[in-house]
């Protein structure tokens, strides 16, 4: 028998030693990892809930730690939970995140929530409206004097829809606050006249309505879209005609970008592995929700609000992507970056 066909005993011992050393090194790298992480999502029936539930399943199965999701009031709530350390991870839209980062939120005026770090881009959240087909409501102007569900109190939709309607001159709207599933039920029970929401497409509560009722969906006119682009840190968005069976043509809208966030004290190695889990296998995220088609590393530039976590910075840099100096956390600033301006606003330049 040719001994050259098999490794020597000495070689096997060396190989086994290297494997054991590698396993110990990996264990050391994870020695400061949390045993459990909590992810703040949003209301039941919204895209955050679906995306977040799928994400924590992947974290638990592939990173080997317990990950749980919690239904919350949405981005404002999630930003607060992560800032205070009550949750390790959260999902936010950049508009609410900016309000809290700068201490400009009405409910927490003057409290800048800077214990939060940006992780990875998720997708855009467009604003959309659904009514029953026989409601007689055909456009935003028709919402005057009507009962309109706008999502849970403190969520992105509930914060922005009232301001949008006021800017567009839609008056005397009776706003209703509840989670997406409840507002869909209000509509079918005729306790609401319209359901104005915002979430990654398709919105599961809208899909459920469409399966059970004849509905009408609409967006904005070009003039309304332009007015909102001038007044708010949003981007133009077109809802594709094939998003729902009830749509016959694309709808003009505006949108905010969503990002995952984490507490600043999360271990760098954990955040790096989380970034790899999400961004190295985008097709796995797309099976969780179609909106994850936009969960791509190159969209990191959409965040001009919060500093990135060092683990996220390392991931982007290793993949050839530049993180602007203003988005580096203080602990990663060089002398040259010392005078770099802090994040102060959402980039409202249309793509």
């Amino acid at each position: 028998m040719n001994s050259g066909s098999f490794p020597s005993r000495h070689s096997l011992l060396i190989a086994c030693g290297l494997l054991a050393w590698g396993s110990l090194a990996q264990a050391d790298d994870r020695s400061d990892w949390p045993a459990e992480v909590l992810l703040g999502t949003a209301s039941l029936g919204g895209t955050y809930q679906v995306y977040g539930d799928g994400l924590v399943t992947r974290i638990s199965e592939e990173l080997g730690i317990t990950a749980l999701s919690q239904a919350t009031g949405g981005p404002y709530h999630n930003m607060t939970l992560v800032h205070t350390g009550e949750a390790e991870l959260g999902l936010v839209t950049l508009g609410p995140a900016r309000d809290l980062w700068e201490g400009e939120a009405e409910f927490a005026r003057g409290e800048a929530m800077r214990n939060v770090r940006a992780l990875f881009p998720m997708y855009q959240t467009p604003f959309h409206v659904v009514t029953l087909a026989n409601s007689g409501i055909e456009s935003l102007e028709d919402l005057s004097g009507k009962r309109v569900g706008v999502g849970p109190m403190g969520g992105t939709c509930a914060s922005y829809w009232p301001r949008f309607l006021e800017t567009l001159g839609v008056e005397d709207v009776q706003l209703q606050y509840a989670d997406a599933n409840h507002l869909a039920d209000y509509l079918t029970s005729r306790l609401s006249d319209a359901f104005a929401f915002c979430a990654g497409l398709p919105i599961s509560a809208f899909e459920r309505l469409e399966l059970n009722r004849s509905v009408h969906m609409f967006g904005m006119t070009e003039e309304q879209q332009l007015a909102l682009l001038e007044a708010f840190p949003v981007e133009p968005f077109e809802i594709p005609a094939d998003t729902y069976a009830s749509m016959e043509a694309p709808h003009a809208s505006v949108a905010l970008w969503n990002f995952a966030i984490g507490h600043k004290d999360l271990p760098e190695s954990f955040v790096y592995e989380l970034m790899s889990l999400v961004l190295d296998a985008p097709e796995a995220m797309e099976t969780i929700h179609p909106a994850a088609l936009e969960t791509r590393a190159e969209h990191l530039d959409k965040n001009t609000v919060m500093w990135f976590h060092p683990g996220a910075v390392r991931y982007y840099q290793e993949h050839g992507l530049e993180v602007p100096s203003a988005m580096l956390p203080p602990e990663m600033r060089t002398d040259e970056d010392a005078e770099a301006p802090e994040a102060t606003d959402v980039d409202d330049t249309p793509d």
Side-chain angles (χ1 to χ4, degrees), residues 116-132:
V116 177
R117 296 291 182 266
L119 304 182
F120 56 84
M122 295 164 55
Y123 53 81
Q124 296 182 80
T125 285
F127 292 75
H128 210 199
V129 186
V130 61
T131 63
L132 297 181

Side-chain angles (χ1 to χ4, degrees), residues 9-332:
R9 182 182 178 188
H10 180 65
S11 298
L12 285 172
L13 288 172
I14 292 174
C16 290
L18 288 172
L19 286 172
W21 180 87
S23 298
L24 288 172
Q26 183 181 39
D28 288 340
D29 287 343
R30 295 188 172 205
S31 62
D32 59 349
W33 281 29
E36 179 179 297
V37 293
L38 179 66
L39 170 73
T41 59
S43 67
L44 300 177
T47 305
Y48 270 18
Q49 183 232 336
V50 179
Y51 191 105
D53 286 353
L55 177 57
V56 296
T57 297
R58 294 198 66 210
I59 292 173
S60 296
E61 292 179 349
E62 301 185 43
L63 296 187
I65 67 172
T66 301
L68 305 170
S69 63
Q70 177 181 325
T72 69
Y76 285 101
H77 193 185
N78 295 340
M79 190 83 169
T80 304
L81 289 173
V82 173
H83 172 73
T84 60
E86 295 177 63
E88 289 76 23
L89 302 169
L91 311 178
V92 301
T93 42
L94 291 182
R98 181 194 61 176
D99 291 345
L100 290 168
W101 182 265
E102 295 298 331
E104 296 175 353
E106 291 185 8
F107 67 89
R109 186 72 63 179
E111 183 178 354
M113 297 192 179
R114 300 292 176 92
N115 291 336
V116 177
R117 296 291 182 266
L119 304 182
F120 56 84
M122 295 164 55
Y123 53 81
Q124 296 182 80
T125 285
F127 292 75
H128 210 199
V129 186
V130 61
T131 63
L132 297 181
N134 60 0
S135 68
I137 299 172
E138 301 289 332
S139 64
L140 291 180
E141 293 92 335
D142 295 335
L143 296 179
S144 291
K146 298 296 192 297
R147 300 165 300 176
V148 181
V150 291
M153 186 75 73
T156 302
C157 315
S159 298
Y160 276 80
W161 265 119
R163 288 186 271 174
F164 285 178
L165 295 173
E166 181 181 3
T167 299
L168 298 175
V170 182
E171 301 177 342
D172 301 320
V173 177
Q174 301 173 46
L175 300 172
Q176 297 173 317
Y177 301 96
D179 66 48
N181 282 342
H182 280 99
L183 290 175
D185 291 339
Y186 288 0
L187 195 63
T188 58
S189 301
R190 298 191 180 275
L191 298 174
S192 291
D193 300 305
F195 179 15
F197 203 53
C198 60
L201 300 175
I203 301 171
S204 60
F206 280 28
E207 289 182 311
R208 183 164 65 87
L209 276 169
E210 189 177 52
L211 286 174
N212 298 309
R213 293 289 191 276
S214 178
V215 300
H216 173 63
M217 299 185 188
F218 59 89
M220 305 166 183
T221 65
E222 291 185 5
E223 292 77 12
Q224 290 169 338
Q225 183 188 55
L226 287 173
L228 297 182
L229 290 173
E230 291 179 1
F232 299 95
V234 292
E235 296 190 9
F237 192 93
E238 182 178 83
I239 299 174
D242 61 356
T243 304
Y244 305 100
S246 300
M247 289 180 59
E248 297 179 354
H251 292 168
S253 183
V254 295
L256 289 163
W257 268 93
N258 298 274
F259 267 72
I261 58 172
H263 192 274
K264 68 180 183 65
D265 292 337
L266 280 172
E268 179 182 334
S269 62
F270 169 73
V271 170
Y272 181 87
E273 291 299 329
L274 175 59
M275 299 288 291
S276 299
L277 174 69
V278 172
L279 298 176
D280 287 355
E283 66 285 348
M285 294 303 297
E286 290 171 40
T287 63
I288 294 171
H289 195 285
L293 181 65
E294 293 184 304
T295 301
R296 298 292 188 273
E298 59 263 29
H299 294 310
L300 74 94
D301 63 333
K302 304 303 181 183
N303 168 40
T304 61
V305 175
M306 304 166 283
W307 299 318
F308 281 102
H309 192 283
V313 174
R314 179 159 71 93
Y315 178 88
Y316 291 129
Q317 291 177 340
E318 288 185 5
H319 287 76
L321 296 169
E322 181 180 356
V323 177
S325 59
M327 295 297 100
L328 294 173
E331 60 269 29
M332 296 189 74

